[in-house]
Amino acid sequence: MDLEKNTRLFNTLANLHLNKQLDEISISELTEQAQVSRMYFYRNFTTYKDIIDQHITELLNHFLRITTKRNNLTIETTAVLFFETLQFDAKSLTVFLNNGETEWIEHDFEIGLGKLIEHGVVQGSNDKYWRAYTAGGLSRVITIWLQSNTQESPKVMGEKISQIILQNQFLS
């Protein structure tokens, strides 16, 4: 898959979704505006949800690559980096959230955050219930942050997430 083409499809889909429901957007309209061939779309995606899933997966993989290159990350600095990474796609993600795709977005982030926890990027208890609780909670925090137009800076969100995670470690 081509990351640049996928990003164009994701952002174009969000822009079209500002004025239309997903089922009103044709593949031809999407691919033409994204300057991607229909063949590319059909070779790589089955539904529009696949575009969203792929984009969030790539976003989380990018974040994982960033964090593995850094040493001595704390929970707070890791969260700051995460929210800085999200800021680039905040507008497009918010379009999907505001148009009823909240469950998709939260589910994708929950799965991705679970993987980050497994890789040790999000530090905490090794307990499977703590991991599930934390991934679900963080995905909801992301949704609220995006839907409030990212009012808090990544730095403030890093502080908040650090406090939440440290408090919840004692629950396990």
Side-chain angles (χ1 to χ4, degrees), residues 17-142:
H17 199 21
L18 282 168
N19 300 311
K20 295 181 177 182
Q21 292 301 310
L22 288 178
D23 61 358
E24 298 171 341
I25 300 169
S26 71
I27 303 288
S28 295
E29 180 180 23
L30 173 64
T31 56
E32 184 177 311
Q33 287 195 25
Q35 298 178 341
V36 172
S37 72
R38 287 172 52 100
M39 183 182 292
Y40 179 83
F41 175 87
Y42 287 116
R43 215 178 14 232
N44 295 288
F45 305 103
T46 305
T47 66
Y48 291 148
K49 183 181 180 313
D50 294 342
I51 294 171
I52 297 167
D53 292 347
Q54 174 60 35
H55 190 78
I56 291 174
T57 298
E58 185 51 45
L59 183 79
L60 292 166
N61 287 338
H62 173 72
F63 174 71
L64 184 59
R65 287 190 299 273
I66 290 171
T67 57
T68 56
K69 293 178 183 176
R70 302 207 180 179
N71 296 322
N72 303 321
L73 287 172
T74 65
I75 293 170
E76 184 175 326
T77 56
T78 301
V80 170
L81 281 171
F82 183 76
F83 282 94
E84 286 174 347
T85 302
L86 276 182
Q87 258 185 334
F88 292 105
D89 290 307
K91 182 181 175 193
S92 293
L93 287 166
T94 301
V95 169
F96 294 113
L97 291 170
N98 291 339
N99 281 289
E101 283 79 39
T102 304
E103 192 174 306
W104 292 357
I105 303 292
E106 285 183 355
H107 178 74
D108 286 350
F109 275 116
E110 190 171 338
I111 290 170
L113 289 165
K115 290 177 185 174
L116 294 177
I117 290 168
E118 287 173 17
H119 280 90
V121 174
V122 177
Q123 304 148 1
S125 172
N126 198 27
D127 180 78
K128 65 182 176 183
Y129 299 109
W130 181 89
R131 289 193 316 260
Y133 174 81
T134 302
L138 287 173
S139 68
R140 185 68 184 128
V141 167
I142 292 165

